């Protein structure tokens, strides 16, 4: 009797296994058949799948607000996805398991801390024509990574605001990021650093896909098979001949969407306003070169160059950059382990941070010795305080004056947390760590320091806990709020983070104009009027001289027909 019982028991368990397998198969089939199947790179809304075209809601052009706010999923462009799968990652998995991160990991994800509901906005200024898609291509800045990041943020905002598909430039070696990846190459691209395929409301495709689309849509004159044989540099030279190239200089112009607001004058800081007029609106392809010798470079902050007339829209784009153009989660995971170690070492959970740039920065006024940095810090750091220093200085002897008073730590003290991570990503990890300091002391003029200060703004640290160690007149630059001033890129400004989660009905951010800028604006304004009256000439706010080119000061632009034709005040709103 034992044998039949054993058979019955086995049959019973076999039946359970079969039932479970059938249930799992049915569930898998259900989820598969209910996915939205979309064309490569196209985004669709869960709630309104038929209203989405090229990643943006296909709705009429409006003058106020965003229209409908929708949640949606993003489908990664098939060619971009294939490209990333075929390249071995230069870091650990693109999205580390949160269980492998420290307890500090969730607190570092500032984009998850916002109380603003999940939102997606289409451009309120341009209607999207699904039969005539338009594109933006761009070249990577020739400077360091943070210069590249700044230009990328700016161009991404322009692509979203103008309803265009953004095309990623091909991978290439980046300045100072010289370490060879797991694939044996030095080539890097923006999706290595940012979660680009998941940018809400913006379709992003790679260059290969664009070459095929562009030729089939009549935008590009040559077939993709011919262009794909070119090097990355030659591809950019080809696009130089195919697209409309805006010769907008961030130090001379301010980009205005929707017309003037009560603070446009303060925002433009003497620059003349430029609108996205019909010549740019109608262009199927706009190409943004990065060629300083030819006069093309977009080294600026998106929020100091691009202005949206309506406060709610202006704040939306600042949140969009904050919440979506952040470093990949895996970098925050690694940084969280270092932060957790520092908090544990400090005893009370707090530590202070520095960024001390010593390498190729050309500004002599910030090339000071360790004793001067120590003297600056005496007023706000406590003796014996634990301090993390992000630096490119190789000699620890440089920091001896600081080491005699503080407990210093460097990235090299935490190499156990960097196993398997390419050194190409160390800088980004250090920025996240340095942003966590009770106080932060940075290097003026450095865009690396600049991004740390912006991250601190996103995290909610008080501005008066941020300092520079030099020059002396900039040490307390963050302790009073002022409008951004030329040349803008030397630091970040509270305009990027202050009030960006305010209600839609709130007015624009406002601040005072510092005395130095006010005096400069008066001098430039008087000179610009003289140029216009005496010679009928324009005015170059960069050089401070009269010019025969179509360039103006903000004040004279309001009276100059040639300048007004290029602005939204000329009737394009």
């Amino acid at each position: 009797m034992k044998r039949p019982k054993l058979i019955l028991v086995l049959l019973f368990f076999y039946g359970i296994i079969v039932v479970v397998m059938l249930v799992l198969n049915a569930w898998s089939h259900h989820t598969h058949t209910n996915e939205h199947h979309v064309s490569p790179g196209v985004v669709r809304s869960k709630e309104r799948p038929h209203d989405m075209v090229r990643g943006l809601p296909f709705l009429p052009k409006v003058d106020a607000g965003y229209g409908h706010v929708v949640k949606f999923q993003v489908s990664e462009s098939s060619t971009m996805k294939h490209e990333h799968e075929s390249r071995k990652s230069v870091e650990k998995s693109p999205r580390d398991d949160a269980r492998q991160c420290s307890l500090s990991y969730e607190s570092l994800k500032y984009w998850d801390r916002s109380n603003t509901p999940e939102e997606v906005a289409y451009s309120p200024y341009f209607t999207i024509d699904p039969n005539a898609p338009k594109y933006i291509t761009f070249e990577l800045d020739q400077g360091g990574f943070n210069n590249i990041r700044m230009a990328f943020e700016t161009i991404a905002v322009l692509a979203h605001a103008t309803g265009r598909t953004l095309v990623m430039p091909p991978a290439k070696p980046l300045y100072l990021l010289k370490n060879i990846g797991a694939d044996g190459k030095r080539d890097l691209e923006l999706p290595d650093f940012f979660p680009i395929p998941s940018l809400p409301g913006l379709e992003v495709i790679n260059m290969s896909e664009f070459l095929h689309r562009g030729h089939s849509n009549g935008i590009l004159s040559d077939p993709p098979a011919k262009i794909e044989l070119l090097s990355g540099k030659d591809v950019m030279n080809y696009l130089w001949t195919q697209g409309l190239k805006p010769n907008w200089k961030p130090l001379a112009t301010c980009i205005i969407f929707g017309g003037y607001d009560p603070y446009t004058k303060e925002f433009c800081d003497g620059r003349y306003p430029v609108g996205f007029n019909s010549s740019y609106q109608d262009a199927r392809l706009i190409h943004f070169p990065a060629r300083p010798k030819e006069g093309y470079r977009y080294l600026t902050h998106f929020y100091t160059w691009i202005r949206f007339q309506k406060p709610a829209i202006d704040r939306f784009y600042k949140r969009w950059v904050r919440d979506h153009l952040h470093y990949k989660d895996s970098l925050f995971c690694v940084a969280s382990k270092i932060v957790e170690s520092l908090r544990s070492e400090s005893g009370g959970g707090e530590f202070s941070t520095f960024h001390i740039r010593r390498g190729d920065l050309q500004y002599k006024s910030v090339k000071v010795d360790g004793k001067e940095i120590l003297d600056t810090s005496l007023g706000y750091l406590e003796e014996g305080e634990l301090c993390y220093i992000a630096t490119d200085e190789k000699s620890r002897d440089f920091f001896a004056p600081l080491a005699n008073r503080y407990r210093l730590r460097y990235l090299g003290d935490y190499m156990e947390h960097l196993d398997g991570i390419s050194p190409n990503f160390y800088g980004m990890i250090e920025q996240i760590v340095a942003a966590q300091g009770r106080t932060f002391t940075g290097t003026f003029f450095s865009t690396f320091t600049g991004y740390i200060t912006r991250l601190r703004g996103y995290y909610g640290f008080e501005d008066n806990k941020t300092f520079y160690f030099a020059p002396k007149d900039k040490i307390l630059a963050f302790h009073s709020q002022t409008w951004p001033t030329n040349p803008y890129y030397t630091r970040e400004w509270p305009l990027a983070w202050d009030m960006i989660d305010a209600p839609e009905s709130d007015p624009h951010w406002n601040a005072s104009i510092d005395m130095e800028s006010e005096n400069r604006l008066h001098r430039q304004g008087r000179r610009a009027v003289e140029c216009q009256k005496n010679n009928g000439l324009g005015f170059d706010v960069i050089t401070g001289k009269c010019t025969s080119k179509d360039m103006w000061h903000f004040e004279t632009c309001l009276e100059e027909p040639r300048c007004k034709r290029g602005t939204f005040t000329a009737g394009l709103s």
Side-chain angles (χ1 to χ4, degrees), residues 151-338:
F152 167 57
E153 289 174 341
T154 300
I155 291 166
V157 168
L158 284 173
H160 189 291
T162 59
R164 292 171 177 265
T165 294
L166 182 63
V167 182
M168 287 291 104
K172 59 175 286 188
L174 301 183
Y175 176 63
L176 295 180
L177 301 184
K178 299 179 179 180
N179 292 276
I180 298 175
D183 56 1
K185 298 180 180 179
R186 277 187 53 201
D187 291 353
L188 293 166
E189 55 186 332
L190 292 170
D192 289 326
F193 304 93
F194 304 98
I196 287 175
S198 59
L199 296 182
L202 177 65
E203 183 187 19
V204 183
I205 62 175
N206 66 16
M207 185 60 67
S208 178
E209 184 167 351
F210 170 66
L211 296 180
H212 285 79
R213 288 194 194 183
H215 181 66
S216 63
N217 291 333
I219 297 173
L220 302 178
S221 58
D222 293 298
K226 178 180 178 179
I227 308 171
E228 287 176 330
L229 296 175
L230 302 175
S231 66
K233 182 177 180 181
D234 288 335
V235 169
M236 291 302 167
N237 289 335
Y238 173 74
L239 294 176
W240 173 281
T241 68
Q242 301 292 301
L244 183 66
K245 302 183 292 294
N247 192 14
W248 300 329
K249 301 182 188 306
L251 298 184
T253 63
C254 47
I255 310 301
I256 306 298
F257 281 87
Y260 294 161
D261 65 71
Y263 305 115
T264 302
K265 180 178 178 179
E266 289 82 354
F267 173 83
C268 287
D269 187 39
R271 299 170 293 179
Y272 70 93
V274 173
F276 204 80
N277 61 28
S278 58
S279 63
Y280 295 105
Q281 183 179 358
D282 296 339
R284 298 287 301 281
L285 172 62
I286 294 178
H287 182 64
F288 286 93
R291 307 184 186 193
K293 292 182 179 179
E294 283 86 4
Y296 294 91
R297 194 182 189 192
Y298 304 95
L299 179 61
T300 192
H301 305 300
F302 74 94
Y303 60 88
T304 63
W305 193 37
I306 305 170
R307 181 72 166 181
F308 296 91
Q309 178 192 32
K310 297 192 178 299
I313 299 175
D314 200 66
R315 287 193 288 269
F316 163 78
Y317 278 104
K318 290 167 185 170
R319 290 195 302 270
W320 187 81
V321 170
R322 178 194 64 187
D323 296 343
H324 305 292
L325 288 184
H326 54 75
Y327 293 145
K328 295 173 78 170
D329 287 22
S330 55
L331 301 180
F332 284 86
C333 177
V334 176
S336 73
K337 299 173 185 178
I338 300 175

